[in-house]
Amino acid sequence: MRPTAAAAVAASTTVLGAGAAVAAGRYAAGAALRPNAGGLPPGFDGPPLTVHGTAAGQVTLTRSLDSLLPGIYGLTGRGCHAVVGNVLETPRPGGHVDGMSPDTVVRRLVRVTRGALRPGTRVRLTPQVYSGSPHDALGLDCQDVLVPGELGPLPAWYLPGPRETWVIAVHGLGTTRDHPLVVLPLLHRMQFPVLSLGYRGDPGAPAPRDGANHFGDAEWRDLDAALRYAVGRGAARIVLIGWSTGATMALYAAARSALRAHVAGLVLDSPVLDWRTTVRALAGRRVPRALLPLAVRAAEARTEGAPERLADATDPERLTEPVLILHGPGDRIASWGDSIDYAAARPDLVTVREVLRGRHGGAWNADPMGCEEALRRFLTPLM
């Protein structure tokens, strides 16, 4: 243990007692590693917002850093889901706009997809803009398929396309395969066959053997199964698109899969490149800062060498294919600095699209037009 970590552990055990400190560290580690697909993604799990009212094409919400985020998001609450766009009106503190309260903000209401937004409804923004299958949410032709995986069948949506280059899309922390729906219209226009994968811990997929999220260290083998599925059905080349730990899974697959020669490119939104940094960020939402070294140690004990394996898989010298990173300094879960360093180490292969106000896994949401243009430019030579 580094001296600073050792000092922090010593201080925490002095204050709480060794047993209580270790128990708190284990609790925080368990919370950080707990699979949370379909819950709230980290970075979007702050205090809920209140719906104050709706009008044609508008919804009025509690004013907060979340409700002021630019871009397109899902708005989810108990029994309801909607799609909201950019901020339309916001009064200055102490002022009013057309009778608005200074504590509210008006966003564009694109549509309500489930339930109703009534005054008093408690909701949160989510990067999962759409809900349901690609056909139900977007009107795109798709098939429900099962990918044979290490732990059992993995649910996936397959969208047919005429090209020999396939795209496999993989969601990340706190989301489901609904999340990649945001890029499916672009991929459909570009005529790529697409596989949107559910993996261990997801609804309808096998549970992890140990009940823990390994940040891609174990989950990548399900992506490897999807590679086998695609190649077995005619894919000559495959582009992997991943969000958060799904991006990390893509890096593992490109480094370790027996089919890595088929991987033609990687698109990484908010990639987790440093295991310990992300564990600390997730655990820090549960315990005081002084206990974070204990939480990291407890998480390392549960995952047996995962930090070192991730460091190996994310070694930029391993890269043989082009990479597009969508990320920004607003991410508090996966380090923006790590992405910049990764790109600086391989400027021949790695391009970064900086999204200034993007949350973790939410680069597209904050800048859909910019991210889609970057994605289109990246994918065109790989067709």
Side-chain angles (χ1 to χ4, degrees):
M1 192 187 308
R2 294 184 294 274
T4 53
V9 171
S12 65
T13 54
T14 299
V15 173
L16 293 178
V22 170
R26 288 176 178 168
Y27 165 77
L33 298 176
R34 184 179 303 124
N36 190 33
L40 287 167
F44 292 87
D45 53 356
L49 309 170
T50 299
V51 174
H52 292 268
T54 59
Q58 299 181 359
V59 58
T60 302
L61 302 168
T62 307
R63 181 189 178 98
S64 73
L65 292 176
D66 287 353
S67 62
L68 290 169
L69 284 173
I72 302 173
Y73 297 88
L75 194 67
T76 183
R78 181 173 296 179
C80 65
H81 183 275
V83 180
V84 294
N86 276 311
V87 172
L88 299 175
E89 296 176 343
T90 175
R92 295 178 180 178
H96 297 270
V97 172
D98 295 333
M100 287 174 57
S101 162
D103 298 324
T104 62
V105 59
V106 176
R107 296 190 71 109
R108 184 167 69 94
L109 179 60
V110 179
R111 66 174 175 269
V112 177
T113 51
R114 186 174 65 251
L117 297 179
R118 298 184 176 89
T121 301
R122 304 284 272 177
V123 293
R124 287 186 171 91
L125 261 65
T126 171
Q128 296 200 152
V129 175
Y130 303 108
S131 177
S133 74
H135 180 269
D136 294 340
L138 300 167
L140 299 177
D141 183 30
C142 71
Q143 302 168 20
D144 287 294
V145 300
L146 292 175
V147 174
E150 177 185 52
L151 302 181
L154 305 167
W157 288 314
Y158 170 66
L159 284 72
R163 300 197 184 279
E164 293 184 340
T165 299
W166 285 39
V167 173
I168 301 179
V170 197
H171 72 85
L173 292 169
T175 61
T176 68
R177 57 192 168 120
D178 286 1
H179 192 183
L181 291 174
V182 294
V183 299
L184 294 192
L186 172 65
L187 299 176
H188 176 71
R189 292 194 299 271
M190 297 183 77
Q191 301 185 319
F192 289 107
V194 181
L195 197 65
S196 183
L197 181 69
Y199 53 89
R200 64 189 69 189
D202 281 358
R209 288 194 178 108
D210 60 358
N213 184 331
H214 289 246
F215 301 160
D217 183 58
E219 295 84 357
W220 81 269
R221 292 192 286 273
D222 293 341
L223 179 53
D224 188 41
L227 285 168
R228 291 195 302 272
Y229 182 93
V231 170
R233 283 154 183 79
R237 296 168 301 279
I238 299 170
V239 177
L240 304 178
I241 299 182
W243 288 254
S244 176
T245 51
T248 314
M249 289 166 61
L251 286 164
Y252 270 107
R256 295 189 170 190
S257 173
L259 295 173
R260 59 186 176 274
H262 290 273
V263 177
L266 306 174
V267 180
L268 314 176
D269 184 323
S270 313
V272 172
L273 301 176
D274 184 288
W275 194 93
R276 293 181 180 89
T277 295
T278 297
V279 169
R280 287 178 64 90
L282 294 173
R285 309 163 87 81
R286 302 282 183 171
V287 299
R289 181 181 298 271
L291 291 175
L292 294 183
L294 284 171
V296 173
R297 288 182 63 192
E300 287 181 287
R302 285 190 64 177
T303 53
E304 298 179 349
E308 290 71 29
R309 288 190 294 273
L310 177 57
D312 180 64
T314 58
D315 181 353
E317 293 304 315
R318 278 186 168 274
L319 280 180
T320 59
E321 56 283 310
V323 177
L324 171 65
I325 296 178
L326 309 173
H327 205 177
D331 193 334
R332 298 292 178 262
I333 305 300
S335 168
W336 159 246
D338 288 343
S339 288
I340 292 299
D341 292 344
Y342 190 78
R346 291 303 303 270
D348 56 323
L349 288 174
V350 182
T351 302
V352 178
R353 169 80 188 192
E354 180 178 3
V355 182
L356 288 176
R357 296 187 64 187
R359 297 278 181 89
H360 182 67
W364 181 94
N365 304 86
D367 183 17
M369 291 182 64
C371 287
E372 287 200 5
E373 178 59 15
L375 185 57
R376 185 191 65 79
R377 289 174 178 269
F378 179 80
L379 290 174
T380 297
L382 306 177
M383 285 179 168

